[in-house]
Amino acid sequence: MPHGRYLRLFCHWMQNTDGPRVDLDLSVALYSEAWEHIGTCDYTSLRVAGAVHSGDLTSAPPPLGASEFVDLDINALAVAGVRYAVMVVLSYNNVAFTDMAEAFAGLMLRSAPPKRGEVFDALAVEQRFDLTGPGKVTMPFVVDLAEETMRWMDVTARVTGTNHAVHRHHERLALLASALTDSFRAGTRVTLGELARWHAAGRADEVLVRNGEGIGRYRRRADEPVAAFAARLRDPAQGDGPAVPDDAATAGLQLLLRGDLPTPAGADVYALHPAGLNASTVHLLAAADLAAALDAVG
């Protein structure tokens, strides 16, 4: 994640006009480096060291629905010994996400103290995702406050009954989140960056790779196999000289962390953070599109 002091987690939902009342709860479980439970910020505990909940809403009638927020102060959490923050959205009264008119959640990154600025700032949104499916409890991601990274988990927990609360499940959440975090660190999971290199190596003769502030240019060599070209794209020392951002203006396929490079009209573009892209002039790809199109890569 980009460097910033405050994170604002959000959850919005709306129940069906002729459906049951829906009470979603946005919660955050806080853990130490050793995955010891330090605290929980949810409807049972609206304020803990470094975390503040906006308050508990128990229904979301149309047309406005309801929203909940949790503000995390990274500096204050570090002082309290917190390393990991696990976001959880649960259906208190056991209504499945698929039985709601709409439901989504996400993460904003803010530099100003939480009491300043708009409650919901679309420009500050780092990730936004729909809550779908038959589940009633979801663990979307875990934030590593020390490394300033967010790891996507997308785990749906099975629960029964009603009156759900995170503090009743904190041991299970720690087990799931720590296991998935270890899996990410072991390098056993294919990253979107690796997927992007496979596409670039299989579909292009010239590739631009952005590493930090610099951009390297890679040209396919005569008779160079796709696998060898993909491996070379990982090594800045094996490039064919530097490039500049304007060079990207000719790239018909762009796979980006952030949509902040010049983009030709009609280009296929995937961006983890697409805020700077115009969907009316480029073809925006989803991560699922990249995986589905692998069979077209030589």
Side-chain angles (χ1 to χ4, degrees):
M1 298 184 299
H3 181 71
R5 181 174 174 183
Y6 303 99
L7 303 179
R8 174 165 288 176
L9 309 182
F10 60 87
C11 175
H12 174 79
W13 74 101
M14 184 168 66
Q15 60 208 37
N16 290 304
T17 303
D18 56 351
R21 177 182 67 87
V22 178
D23 180 0
L24 288 192
D25 287 310
L26 173 62
S27 309
V28 181
L30 305 171
Y31 298 92
S32 70
E33 184 172 1
W35 288 99
E36 299 164 328
H37 184 235
I38 292 179
T40 299
C41 187
D42 68 350
Y43 72 92
T44 68
S45 180
L46 298 180
R47 184 183 294 270
V48 297
V52 179
H53 197 288
S54 62
D56 184 27
L57 299 180
T58 60
S59 65
L64 297 180
S67 299
E68 291 184 4
F69 303 86
V70 175
D71 286 326
L72 302 178
D73 184 327
I74 294 177
N75 292 349
L77 289 171
V79 172
V82 175
R83 170 72 184 267
Y84 302 103
V86 179
M87 179 180 182
V88 182
V89 180
L90 54 85
S91 178
Y92 178 83
N93 58 332
N94 213 41
V95 178
F97 297 125
T98 192
D99 294 333
M100 305 174 195
E102 66 178 17
F104 62 84
L107 165 74
M108 284 181 276
L109 184 74
R110 300 163 68 97
S111 57
K115 291 185 179 180
R116 299 181 188 174
E118 298 292 332
V119 173
F120 186 88
D121 182 357
L123 294 178
V125 173
E126 288 291 312
Q127 288 291 316
R128 181 267 189 202
F129 47 90
D130 291 318
L131 300 172
T132 59
K136 293 139 187 178
V137 176
T138 184
M139 184 178 72
F141 56 75
V142 56
V143 177
D144 186 329
L145 299 171
E147 294 184 0
E148 294 188 334
T149 58
M150 186 198 81
R151 294 186 174 90
W152 184 253
M153 300 295 180
D154 195 20
V155 171
T156 299
R158 291 186 179 182
V159 294
T160 58
T162 59
N163 301 354
H164 301 304
V166 164
H167 67 268
R168 299 176 187 150
H169 306 288
H170 69 80
E171 292 182 355
R172 185 181 181 190
L173 292 172
L175 180 62
L176 288 169
S178 62
L180 287 168
T181 297
D182 290 342
S183 176
F184 275 114
R185 286 177 173 156
T188 56
R189 297 169 65 99
V190 175
T191 66
L192 282 172
E194 187 68 19
L195 191 59
R197 283 188 285 271
W198 293 347
H199 274 282
R203 300 170 63 179
D205 290 325
E206 181 171 289
V207 179
L208 306 180
V209 178
R210 179 162 50 174
N211 292 299
E213 298 298 323
I215 301 178
R217 187 190 307 274
Y218 295 78
R219 295 187 176 92
R220 184 190 304 276
R221 294 165 184 166
D223 300 322
E224 184 174 26
V226 169
F229 191 28
R232 192 157 60 87
L233 295 178
R234 300 173 61 93
D235 187 354
Q238 296 193 46
D240 298 298
V244 296
D246 285 344
D247 292 332
T250 63
L253 173 66
Q254 295 192 10
L255 308 172
L256 308 169
L257 176 64
R258 297 187 176 277
D260 57 357
L261 288 177
T263 306
D268 289 331
V269 183
Y270 169 79
L272 184 62
H273 305 279
L277 297 172
N278 186 343
S280 66
T281 61
V282 300
H283 178 217
L284 291 178
L285 303 175
D289 297 325
L290 301 185
L294 272 182
D295 60 354
V297 177

